[in-house]
Amino acid sequence: MIIQFLSRYRPRYIRSLVYMLQSCEYNIGDYLAWYWRTKDFSRVERRKQLVKTPKAIFLLACAYAVVFLFLIVAYLAFRVAPLLSLILLILAPYTLAYGIIIPLALINLMQKPIEHVLLWRAKRKLALHKGTRIAIAGSFGKTSMREILKAVLSEGLPAQAGKKVASPPFSYNTPLGICRFIEQLKGNEEVLIFELGEYYPGDVLKLCKLIDPQIGVITGVNEAHLEKFGTLEKTTKTIFELAQYLKGKSKEKLLYVNGENELAQNYASKNHILYSREGTGDCHIKEPKTNLTGASFTLVMGGKKSTVTSSLLGLHNVGPLAVAAHIGSRLGLTRTQIEEGIRKTRAFNHRLEANEDKNGVITIDDSYNGNPDGVHAIIEFLTSIKERRRWYVTPGLVEMGARAEEVHREIGRRLAKAEIEKVVLIRNSVTSYIEQGLKEAGYSGEVLWFEDALLAFNALPHLTVKGDIVLLQNDWPDQYA
């Protein structure tokens, strides 16, 4: 307890506060929630490091200035009232934690008119752009869908021919992130693909008004960000704001909805095009298969059949590949171009990305997958792998809200049913639920516990042998206990 209390008086405490703000994307409510539940501030900046952006540097400067002012006042007070001086020094870190919100609020206030101008300029520029705009919304799978569409459509619209497919990099799915991307457009792009980030009601509709999409894809709805939305109904309504926007446009507007996701399917209307591993529209999928080298299936389009392969792991990617084929066909790509585009799809960073080390151990990095549907798809994939020892390493999922216990118990039950040989759990507030689910389903394998993910990663090379498969599922951000 004393060490935890003294952690507020470490020199890095100021940096830790700014890091907490930055990790919470400068959301004051999320920052305060993290601050209130933190006991030991020496363990705050572990998974990642503070990125010294102009905003972060300004906040650091303000915080150090406040600390310097506190020291001067405490020094002057010590001459006349030593006890008051001591009280000021004790209260300094607590006052600073709340005081740092003031310069942040000033920054946000000054940014508002600038953001308004950026949004106006971006919307105006995009309104004049002739490229087809595709918007992707959903609780999960947005980046994967974006990259699949980009890979397939680029095959028919090569950059060297003066045409190209473009999309914001990384996970730029907020208004300002998309604005920065729009500013860089040349105007000759044939297709623009956007992810629509959703954290609060109205977010998706706001982005739709900015980009004005002609084609939409809803990848599904689940408990991701449930902590912010509160209920799955609010989550669903927010994601289907894309459908609401497209409904007000011409009949040529297309919306694809994941038919394998129950919530999305239930909310879809008869005008929406459902997609699944069986295909979408007049694009049909037969005999889908997957293994450690990727996925393969028979593609049926226009009455013609052909065998198509992709390096993407898991059958859950077959539906998005079908969407890409269907959209590609509507945009004028030939069958050969579509098949070649699918063949060129590759694993995306930290999303079922497989690598084999010198010892013959295959590690599948899925650390950017933090949603229940993605986890279920991965367990399904692991189930299909035979005659290999499988390791499932996870710290669990964040932002599951009131559904956290049931979500994690279900993960445990599915792992037990899949008979995963080794389950490695990182100790935190949710992994005990996974263990309970394992026990409920009569799990007969081995559960290994680690206090920290880094300790688990360091131990795995000494525990695994040639032929083992290690699945790293999700990362655990510093702001969650």
Side-chain angles (χ1 to χ4, degrees):
M1 290 294 292
I2 294 177
I3 294 176
Q4 292 177 355
F5 173 76
L6 292 177
S7 68
R8 290 178 169 82
Y9 299 89
R10 297 168 65 249
R12 288 179 65 90
Y13 173 74
I14 297 172
R15 177 187 169 104
S16 295
L17 293 178
V18 177
Y19 171 75
M20 292 167 82
L21 276 168
Q22 188 178 76
S23 297
C24 293
E25 298 181 342
Y26 299 102
N27 182 290
I28 294 174
D30 292 345
Y31 159 75
L32 289 175
W34 184 4
Y35 179 79
W36 291 332
R37 66 173 175 259
T38 301
K39 306 299 181 185
D40 187 352
F41 286 85
S42 66
R43 297 174 60 83
V44 166
E45 196 176 352
R46 293 189 300 167
R47 299 296 297 148
K48 296 181 180 179
Q49 299 293 317
L50 175 68
V51 180
K52 293 185 178 179
T53 62
K55 181 183 284 190
I57 292 171
F58 176 74
L59 292 173
L60 283 171
C62 290
Y64 281 115
V66 171
V67 170
F68 182 69
L69 181 62
F70 254 97
L71 291 174
I72 291 177
V73 173
Y75 173 74
L76 296 174
F78 183 76
R79 294 184 173 184
V80 292
L83 181 59
L84 176 61
S85 177
L86 179 61
I87 292 173
L88 285 173
L89 290 174
I90 292 174
L91 294 178
Y94 298 93
T95 304
L96 180 63
Y98 296 95
I100 199 172
I101 295 173
I102 297 174
L104 176 61
L106 291 174
I107 292 174
N108 292 338
L109 189 63
M110 290 186 292
Q111 280 185 330
K112 287 297 180 183
I114 298 174
E115 291 177 4
H116 182 76
V117 171
L118 290 174
L119 285 168
W120 177 79
R121 287 173 54 186
K123 188 173 182 179
R124 182 182 178 187
K125 182 175 181 178
L126 207 54
L128 299 173
H129 201 289
K130 296 181 180 180
T132 300
R133 294 181 290 279
I134 302 174
I136 306 168
S139 299
F140 59 92
K142 293 190 292 290
T143 301
S144 295
M145 178 64 78
R146 181 194 74 193
E147 293 302 308
I148 286 172
L149 285 171
K150 190 172 181 179
V152 175
L153 300 182
S154 293
E155 188 61 27
L157 302 168
Q160 59 266 29
K163 302 177 180 181
K164 61 180 178 179
V165 179
S167 64
F170 310 112
S171 294
Y172 282 14
N173 57 19
T174 63
L176 288 182
I178 290 175
C179 283
R180 285 194 290 268
F181 164 71
I182 294 172
E183 285 291 323
Q184 299 170 3
L185 293 176
K186 304 297 183 182
N188 65 338
E189 298 85 0
E190 291 290 308
V191 178
L192 303 175
I193 307 172
F194 299 91
E195 287 184 50
L196 308 184
E198 81 292 326
Y199 298 96
Y200 301 98
D203 282 354
V204 170
L205 186 58
K206 181 179 180 180
L207 290 171
C208 284
K209 290 178 179 178
L210 170 63
I211 67 174
D212 187 27
Q214 290 105 348
I215 299 174
V217 182
I218 290 179
T219 58
V221 183
N222 63 22
E223 291 85 354
H225 307 310
L226 187 59
E227 196 170 281
K228 288 184 171 66
F229 281 104
T231 66
L232 281 171
E233 182 180 1
K234 287 183 179 179
T235 305
T236 306
K237 286 183 177 179
T238 300
I239 289 170
F240 271 80
E241 287 171 359
L242 173 57
Q244 175 189 339
Y245 182 84
L246 291 174
K247 184 179 179 180
K249 301 297 177 179
S250 69
K251 293 182 179 180
E252 294 181 0
K253 305 287 182 176
L254 301 174
L255 180 65
Y256 298 84
V257 178
N258 186 353
E260 294 181 352
N261 178 257
E262 184 177 355
L263 284 171
Q265 184 180 13
N266 290 342
Y267 217 79
S269 74
K270 62 181 181 180
N271 297 322
H272 300 155
I273 305 172
L274 296 180
Y275 71 86
S276 70
R277 64 190 66 184
E278 295 179 356
T280 184
D282 57 0
C283 172
H284 304 290
I285 303 295
K286 304 293 183 182
E287 301 176 336
K289 300 175 183 177
T290 186
N291 54 37
L292 287 170
T293 64
S296 64
F297 52 88
T298 299
L299 177 65
V300 184
M301 292 180 66
K304 296 181 179 180
K305 296 182 180 180
S306 57
T307 300
V308 181
T309 61
S310 166
S311 294
L312 298 175
L313 305 182
L315 294 179
H316 63 288
N317 285 311
V318 174
L321 288 168
V323 171
H326 197 259
I327 292 177
S329 177
R330 284 180 170 268
L331 293 181
L333 272 68
T334 66
R335 184 186 187 88
T336 300
Q337 288 171 334
I338 290 171
E339 293 173 2
E340 184 64 15
I342 292 175
R343 189 184 67 80
K344 289 182 178 179
T345 52
R346 297 287 185 272
F348 320 121
N349 289 341
H350 309 295
R351 292 174 176 87
L352 278 184
E353 188 177 16
N355 290 289
E356 184 173 353
D357 65 19
K358 61 181 181 181
N359 298 316
V361 176
I362 298 175
T363 298
I364 302 177
D365 181 358
D366 202 44
S367 55
Y368 278 13
N369 172 24
N371 74 89
D373 284 69
V375 170
H376 299 166
I378 286 146
I379 295 174
E380 177 191 37
F381 172 68
L382 289 177
T383 304
S384 69
I385 298 173
K386 307 298 182 182
E387 299 178 356
R388 286 177 180 266
R389 189 169 65 165
R390 299 156 297 175
W391 295 71
Y392 186 89
V393 185
T394 185
L397 309 178
V398 300
E399 295 189 350
M400 295 294 105
R403 294 264 302 158
E405 181 174 351
E406 178 52 35
V407 164
H408 288 91
R409 280 177 179 263
E410 178 61 18
I411 291 173
R413 289 191 286 266
R414 287 177 180 253
L415 288 169
K417 186 178 180 181
E419 299 181 341
I420 304 300
E421 289 81 4
K422 305 283 185 178
V423 175
V424 178
L425 301 177
I426 312 304
R427 199 176 299 279
N428 55 46
S429 59
V430 300
T431 39
S432 61
Y433 300 137
I434 296 178
E435 184 182 43
Q436 291 171 25
L438 288 166
K439 291 178 179 178
E440 290 171 5
Y443 179 62
S444 58
E446 182 181 8
V447 178
L448 292 86
W449 284 93
F450 288 88
E451 297 297 323
D452 182 89
L454 186 59
L455 293 175
F457 297 155
N458 290 335
L460 282 169
H462 305 288
L463 299 173
T464 53
V465 298
K466 184 178 180 179
D468 281 1
I469 296 176
V470 179
L471 190 288
L472 306 179
Q473 187 272 307
N474 199 28
D475 193 7
W476 190 264
D478 285 335
Q479 60 263 46
Y480 296 95

